């Protein structure tokens, strides 16, 4: 990702955090992570986040999704003998999020499936989360999510986050962003 | 705790959550926990909280401390062979919190030690947390905390929460509140 785009997206994310009254330190503001998942189409497929804590046991972060921005379909696999895969709870703080998991599919998803990536979206059990609502994903549940028209701010509470092990349905995705400084 | 006091404290806690722009569902608003730790002096020693999630692995909650209200000194012990004790991160969302842990004591703590309970406060390494600041406690660290003059709203991210196993320095404390309905 080009530095200019990073800076633009970071500043936009900070506006969402401010609107949601999420207080961040200057250090956190400077370290907002912007991920385009290596697809080079950030506003369609991307995620902005601030990681508060990620110990061996607990992870908590705050995320921003711009309007219709999608965190693409993935699963958190078991790692080694002792880690069954990440468990995560999403709690929406502002806006609306459409979350899709395995299970009975809806016929008309409210989210707009990212263009030219339709075949990499395979689960369509729809959960709509408004501000104040939350959903817990246990290990081994394929999922993806998208913000509604106003964008969204979402807290994530989870077990240790090993982003580098996530398995995306789209094999072209690279989770760890290259930021050109 | 008398029902009237519970209702009063619950409504007051909801005002703090609103001021901090924490969005809660109606169900969560109705289930605010008010703990006086069995000491019958809620505004001095007490804690108001909403538990978002408490699975085998993760717990997240939102807490309110009224001005100078204290969560009394305690430790989270190991339980069985597999649980080393609760690990917890406190992130202040609004107000100021004075957190005390084991280590180099301060000579003039900023918190006001609860009256007639002085002997049950033994750790005085002081950490001051403003909105946007946080601190992580690893298992086996004795701690207590108090809000400053404006009260505080604090998020807690932790491993599974077994309140009933907490060990308080004051043996008169009962963690699980009796609410008279
Ligand atoms: Zn995930
Ligand atoms: Zn504690």
């Amino acid at each position: 990702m080009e530095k200019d785009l990073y800076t633009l997206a970071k500043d936009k994310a900070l506006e969402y955090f401010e609107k949601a009254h999420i207080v961040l330190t200057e250090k956190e503001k400077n370290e907002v992570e912007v991920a385009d998942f290596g697809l080079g189409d950030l506003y369609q497929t991307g995620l902005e986040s601030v990681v508060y804590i990620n110990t061996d046991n607990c992870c908590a972060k705050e995320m921003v999704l711009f309007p219709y921005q999608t965190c693409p379909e993935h699963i958190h696999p078991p790692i080694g003998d002792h880690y069954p895969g990440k468990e995560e709870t999403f709690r929406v703080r502002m806006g609306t999020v459409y979350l899709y998991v395995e299970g009975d599919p809806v016929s008309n998803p409210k989210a707009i499936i990212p263009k030219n990536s339709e075949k990499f979206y395979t689960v369509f059990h729809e959960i709509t989360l408004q501000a104040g609502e939350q959903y817990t994903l246990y290990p081994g549940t394929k999922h993806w999510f998208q913000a509604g028209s106003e964008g969204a701010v979402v807290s994530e509470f989870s077990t240790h986050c090993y982003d580098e092990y996530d398995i995306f349905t789209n094999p072209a995705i690279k989770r760890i962003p290259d930021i050109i400084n």
Side-chain angles (χ1 to χ4, degrees), chain A:
Chain A
M1 193 188 308
E2 295 293 335
K3 179 82 188 290
D4 284 0
L5 176 58
Y6 169 75
T7 305
L8 198 70
K10 188 190 76 163
D11 290 348
K12 214 174 150 82
L14 292 177
E15 285 172 26
Y16 278 79
F17 285 134
E18 199 161 327
K19 214 171 145 192
H21 299 271
I22 303 286
V23 185
L24 301 174
T25 62
E26 288 308 309
K27 186 167 181 291
E28 288 167 335
K29 288 182 191 175
N30 288 325
E31 290 173 358
V32 173
E33 188 189 323
V34 177
D36 73 354
F37 299 92
L39 298 182
D41 194 6
L42 178 70
Y43 292 97
Q44 184 168 251
T45 307
L47 187 65
E48 296 69 42
S49 60
V50 171
V51 178
Y52 289 151
I53 176 94
N54 190 18
T55 70
D56 287 352
N57 299 305
C58 292
C59 180
K61 56 176 85 166
E62 216 78 73
M63 306 185 289
V64 168
L65 289 162
F66 300 138
Y68 308 111
Q69 196 181 31
T70 299
C71 177
E73 189 175 291
H74 65 281
I75 196 165
H76 304 288
I79 301 165
D81 291 338
H82 301 292
Y83 191 76
K86 189 183 172 202
E87 173 195 309
E88 52 192 18
T89 296
F90 298 120
R91 183 175 178 93
V92 176
R93 302 291 192 163
M94 188 179 79
T96 302
V97 168
Y98 303 113
L99 170 66
Y100 297 88
V101 299
E102 293 169 70
D104 273 358
V106 288
S107 41
N108 287 305
K110 292 192 188 110
I112 300 161
I113 300 168
K115 285 209 177 49
N116 304 319
S117 292
E118 290 81 356
K119 65 180 165 190
F120 305 121
Y121 291 85
T122 68
V123 301
F124 292 99
H125 184 72
E126 185 176 78
I127 296 137
T128 300
L129 299 172
Q130 311 286 356
E133 295 179 333
Q134 65 180 44
Y135 191 83
T136 299
L137 289 160
Y138 291 94
T141 312
K142 208 173 273 187
H143 58 284
W144 61 282
F145 50 98
Q146 182 177 97
S149 60
E150 323 237 293
V153 174
V154 184
S155 297
E156 183 186 295
F157 315 124
S158 73
T159 53
H160 184 83
C161 182
Y162 296 92
D163 282 341
E164 64 278 23
Y165 288 100
D166 292 347
I167 298 169
F168 288 87
T169 307
N170 182 347
I173 284 178
K174 284 163 59 188
R175 176 63 181 89
I176 307 303
D178 299 317
I179 295 162
I180 296 157
N181 281 301

